Amino acid sequence: MSLTSHLAQGKLSPIGRYFCERFPNTQSLVKDANHQLRNAETIRPAGLLPPDYSTLGSAIDHRIRYSFSNIRSEQLTARSGASMLALRPLDSVDAVPIPPEELVDILSSYSIMTLFNPMSDGAAYGPYPPNLLKAFFESLDETVARMQPSGRRLNGKDERLLARYCYLL
């Protein structure tokens, strides 16, 4: 569920409940902040290309989630999406088919989801090898288990590492 959905549910959501309990009287603060924002100069990240605000927003969303729960990667929608990068349909003449026995192994070992039926339609390797994706999520789970970020402030080194994982998610 998105952060916006949590906030829209108010006290029915754990995140909405947290904000309502911790910040019960925000109207004067919002009024002052809006006044300051109208008069402020926009600061943009450095670089030649404009930043991808959608990716930054998703990263912030994931990081906030880890503030409330030590989520395992199996619970993340990003894991399902990432798994679809491991295989692609056999849709071009230059695609090299994955042998059926290897395909069965990949599908069972890596919990890969696809938008096509790889067993009946055949499949080729996607842009990322399945073992790389598996290693990323195993490393993420180990890092979260070690850090236990839920409900506490992380030191700078751990915060930067978790922020990198969240950006990749």
Side-chain angles (χ1 to χ4, degrees), residues 50-127:
D52 182 355
Y53 290 113
S54 174
T55 302
L56 291 174
S58 294
I60 292 167
D61 187 335
H62 280 97
R63 180 59 189 95
I64 290 171
R65 289 169 192 263
Y66 281 114
S67 295
F68 290 93
S69 176
N70 297 322
I71 306 163
R72 297 225 9 109
S73 67
E74 293 85 22
Q75 299 171 282
L76 299 171
T77 304
R79 184 171 181 143
S80 301
S83 73
M84 289 189 256
L85 297 170
L87 301 176
R88 65 183 180 98
L90 282 172
D91 56 2
S92 67
V93 292
D94 62 332
V96 178
I98 300 173
E101 60 278 358
E102 187 178 343
L103 187 57
V104 168
D105 223 21
I106 290 170
L107 292 171
S108 62
S109 299
Y110 300 108
S111 303
I112 290 177
M113 299 175 62
T114 62
L115 297 176
F116 64 101
N117 186 339
M119 291 309 294
S120 65
D121 302 336
Y125 284 108

Side-chain angles (χ1 to χ4, degrees), residues 157-169:
K157 180 181 174 187
D158 284 348
E159 185 62 53
R160 284 188 295 278
L161 179 59
L162 186 56
R164 286 185 181 105
Y165 275 110
C166 290
Y167 187 80
L168 287 172
L169 288 171

Side-chain angles (χ1 to χ4, degrees), residues 137-152:
F137 286 105
E138 286 174 352
S139 178
L140 170 63
D141 287 338
E142 290 167 8
T143 300
V144 169
R146 178 184 60 79
M147 288 180 183
Q148 295 292 305
S150 176
R152 69 184 200 88

Side-chain angles (χ1 to χ4, degrees), residues 14-36:
I15 295 172
R17 191 168 37 257
Y18 172 86
F19 279 109
C20 289
E21 290 170 2
R22 298 293 194 293
F23 310 105
N25 302 311
T26 59
Q27 287 191 353
S28 64
L29 177 66
V30 170
K31 183 179 175 184
D32 289 344
N34 283 338
H35 176 73
Q36 289 178 22

